[in-house]
Amino acid sequence: MPHRELTHYAVSVVGADRPGIVAGVTEALYKLGCNIADSSCAMLAGEFAMILIVSHKKPFTKALLIEELKPVCERMAMTLSVRHLPLGEEDRKETSGEICQITVYGADQPGIVYRVTNTLATHQINIMDLQTKLAGTEQEPVYIMLLEATLPDGCEPEAVEQLLDGLKQELQVEISVRIVTPVEL
């Protein structure tokens, strides 16, 4: 179905983790006739977060979507947010630059995410995915950050490593950068 015949929404749901969250939300979407175009779900500490890009044939309203999802979310004590996507925002943006994976390992401390991401943003390196995890022991916590980023045209992974070299020393962390070759489907 052409995009102009569809309306798109970003739906996010957050709350204490428990079995059935994804099933409950997606059942309501299914009953409404919505299609899930893109999604990401994760458990962070004891919280579960999901964001979905959904579409429905026009005419369809944000109010109706909220009306059907709100009771489901309230039953599970989840927070619901719905945002209408203007035409063009629903499309997956193809990247022109190289895609790379950046990994950061080191002693847990405030500022790791900010310092690394700020350095990348300053050089127009776009973060597509970011995950962090605390590992190790209570006495020796290890902070792990994994980023997937798009490099601007002409930027090489070696240049990104050099860019982050100063932070490696300052934060006393290990940082590596490698190209991720996209798989053709």
Side-chain angles (χ1 to χ4, degrees):
M1 187 173 296
H3 281 297
R4 66 183 178 280
E5 294 178 24
L6 298 173
T7 187
H8 293 80
Y9 299 89
V11 176
S12 60
V13 177
V14 179
D17 185 46
R18 68 177 53 74
I21 295 169
V22 175
V25 171
T26 57
E27 177 186 26
L29 293 170
Y30 170 71
K31 287 180 176 178
L32 278 169
C34 291
N35 184 53
I36 299 171
D38 212 350
S39 67
S40 182
C41 303
M43 189 169 74
L44 308 168
E47 294 291 299
F48 186 81
M50 64 189 296
I51 185 165
L52 309 143
I53 303 300
V54 301
S55 63
H56 194 285
K57 188 175 180 192
K58 291 178 183 177
F60 188 77
T61 65
K62 176 180 172 181
L64 178 59
L65 185 56
I66 291 170
E67 181 183 316
E68 294 300 317
L69 288 174
K70 192 174 179 183
V72 173
C73 291
E74 285 176 348
R75 270 195 307 278
M76 295 185 284
M78 306 293 285
T79 302
L80 170 68
S81 175
V82 177
R83 185 172 81 84
H84 177 259
L85 300 179
L87 192 60
E89 269 191 45
E90 78 284 357
D91 292 330
R92 179 178 292 276
K93 307 296 183 247
E94 294 303 320
T95 58
S96 60
E98 293 277 0
I99 298 172
C100 69
Q101 183 178 58
I102 302 168
T103 56
V104 181
Y105 294 93
D108 186 30
Q109 59 185 296
I112 294 174
V113 175
Y114 164 69
R115 299 286 305 280
V116 171
T117 59
N118 185 57
T119 300
L120 298 173
T122 301
H123 291 84
Q124 301 302 305
I125 298 169
N126 189 40
I127 297 168
M128 299 165 38
D129 191 30
L130 183 149
Q131 295 178 26
T132 62
K133 219 171 243 338
L134 198 53
T137 64
E138 197 172 312
Q139 296 76 26
E140 292 184 38
V142 177
Y143 196 76
I144 303 166
M145 180 167 60
L146 305 171
L147 296 105
E148 187 177 297
T150 305
L151 304 182
D153 289 333
C155 183
E156 297 296 323
E158 296 78 23
V160 178
E161 280 203 79
Q162 287 176 351
L163 185 68
L164 297 171
D165 240 8
L167 285 180
K168 246 172 129 167
Q169 305 306 316
E170 261 184 72
L171 298 172
Q172 297 183 346
V173 295
E174 293 298 317
I175 300 176
S176 66
V177 180
R178 71 178 181 86
I179 291 295
V180 177
T181 306
V183 176
E184 295 292 325
L185 299 178

